[in-house]
Amino acid sequence: MSIARAAEILRSGGLVVFPTETVYGLGADAVNPRAVARIYEAKGRPQFNPLIAHVSGLTEAERHAHLHENARRLARAFWPGPFTIVARRRSESPVAELACAGLDTIALRAPSHPMARELLSAFGGPIVAPSANRSGHVSTTTAQHAAEDLGDRVDLVLDGGPCQIGLESTIVAVGEDGAVALLRPGAISRGEIEAIVGPVSSAHAAKVQAPGMLESHYAPRARIRLDAAAPQPGEAYLAFGAPAPAGGATLSASGDLVEAAANLYATLRALDATGADVIAVAPIPPHGLGEAIRDRLARAAAPR
Ligand code: TXA
Ligand code: MG
C-alpha cells in the first residue's frame, strides 16, 4: 500500500509529496537533518526558510513547543485543519534545527486531509513539509502539478486529488504571554481567530517574523497587475465575479471567494503558460478569504 511505502521512504531519509487540505506538501522526516536539507535542495530555496512541522494533534505539538493556553484554544478550535501555530520551541524537541532555520520558535500544524493523517499515523512522528513547489514558483494544488514542478527530485508523490482549500494555512505566532499575531493570512480568517482569543496583531507589529514572507515568494513568470478593471491589449485577464474572458480565466464566475482561493494557483499557472508578459487581475474584495488571496497576489506582483 502506498501510504506504508511513503512512511518507509520517510524513515530512510527520502522525500514524499503528499496532499493536504491547503496545498501539496514536500515532506521529510522532521528529526533527520539530512532529509530536511534535501527539502531545501529539492526546492532550490535561496535560503533556509523555517518549515512547518506537521503533527497528529495537540498532544504531539506539546512535545515540541511551549504552548500558552491561547495556543491550545486555537488548536482545539482549528485542528485538524488549515492552521499553523508558531511558538517557542522546547529545547528537548527532536525536530532538526535546520527545519526551524535556527530560530528558537517552531511552526506546528495538524492537517485534516485523510491521506496526510494516514501518513502521519503510519510514520509515527513529525513530518516537515513546505509547499510542494520549486522556490519562487506558486504552490501546487494537484499531484500532477507537484510532480511537474519537483519530478525526479522526490522519491514518491501521493495523489489525493485536488486540494480542497487551495491556499496555504493561516499562520499565527502565539507568545509565551499569550499574545497572538497573524503572520500569514489563510483559510481561517482573522475574525475566526479573534472570536477565540480576542484582538490579534499583524505580522509587522509582531516580534516573530516569517522569513519566508519574502516579497516575491509566490511568483509566476509573468508580471501581475492587480485591481485591473479590464485588461490592456496583450495582457492575460484573470476575472472575478464574471465568466472567463476569451484567452483568460476566472477565479470564480459567481464571485465566490472560497472557489476563488481553490482556483488561484491553477489559474495563475494556466495564464502563465499562455506566454503573456502580464496577467491583469480583477479586483478581489479584501474581506474573509479575500485577504489571503490579495496577500498572495500582492506578493506575486512584487518587483523581483
Ligand atoms: O498550508 C501550508 O501551510 C502548507 C502545507 C504543506 O502544510 N505548507 C506551507 O509551507 O505553506 P511553506 O514552507 O511554503 O510556508 C511556511 C511558512 C514560511 O513562510 C515560513 O517562513 C513560516 O511558515 N515559518 C515556519 N516556521 C516559522 C517560524 N518558526 N517562525 C516564523 N515563521 C515560520
Ligand atoms: Mg511555500
Side-chain angles (χ1 to χ4, degrees), residues 46-142:
Q47 72 271 93
F48 293 146
N49 290 336
L51 305 175
I52 296 171
H54 297 72
V55 294
S56 53
L58 182 53
T59 309
E60 193 184 350
E62 303 253 26
R63 291 179 47 218
H64 302 290
H66 297 277
L67 297 181
H68 183 274
E69 186 52 32
N70 276 349
R72 295 200 190 102
R73 279 193 197 109
L74 291 168
R76 280 186 213 110
F78 303 127
W79 281 357
F83 190 74
T84 298
I85 296 173
V86 171
R88 191 161 72 83
R89 182 192 159 104
R90 282 190 191 276
S91 54
E92 64 271 28
S93 166
V95 170
E97 250 182 298
L98 184 60
C100 300
L103 300 172
D104 60 358
T105 52
I106 184 168
L108 295 156
R109 164 158 118 83
S112 66
H113 194 291
M115 209 176 261
R117 298 189 64 71
E118 279 175 50
L119 180 62
L120 281 164
S121 142
F123 178 61
I127 299 174
V128 281
S131 49
N133 55 277
R134 301 268 286 277
S135 183
H137 293 191
V138 294
S139 297
T140 53
T141 53
T142 66

Side-chain angles (χ1 to χ4, degrees), residues 242-256:
T250 187
L251 288 169
S252 166
S254 65
D256 177 347

Side-chain angles (χ1 to χ4, degrees), residues 43 45 131 133 139 168 217-218:
K43 285 196 65 117
R45 277 204 164 167
S131 49
N133 55 277
S139 297
E168 302 86 345
H217 193 58
Y218 300 94

Side-chain angles (χ1 to χ4, degrees), residues 277-290:
D277 289 330
V278 179
I279 299 172
V281 185
I284 313 290
H287 54 77
L289 261 186

Side-chain angles (χ1 to χ4, degrees), residues 16-27 43 54 109 113 115 129-133 138-147 150 156-164 166-168 265:
V16 173
V17 168
F18 65 97
T20 83
E21 68 280 20
T22 57
V23 297
Y24 272 74
L26 171 60
K43 285 196 65 117
H54 297 72
R109 164 158 118 83
H113 194 291
M115 209 176 261
S131 49
N133 55 277
V138 294
S139 297
T140 53
T141 53
T142 66
Q144 191 201 325
H145 285 156
L150 293 164
L156 182 70
V157 176
L158 287 175
D159 189 349
C163 300
Q164 215 191 331
L167 277 185
E168 302 86 345
Y265 289 122

Side-chain angles (χ1 to χ4, degrees), residues 215-234:
E215 283 291 290
S216 65
H217 193 58
Y218 300 94
R221 185 198 50 80
R223 281 194 302 113
I224 304 283
R225 188 166 70 84
L226 294 175
D227 292 317
Q232 306 282 328

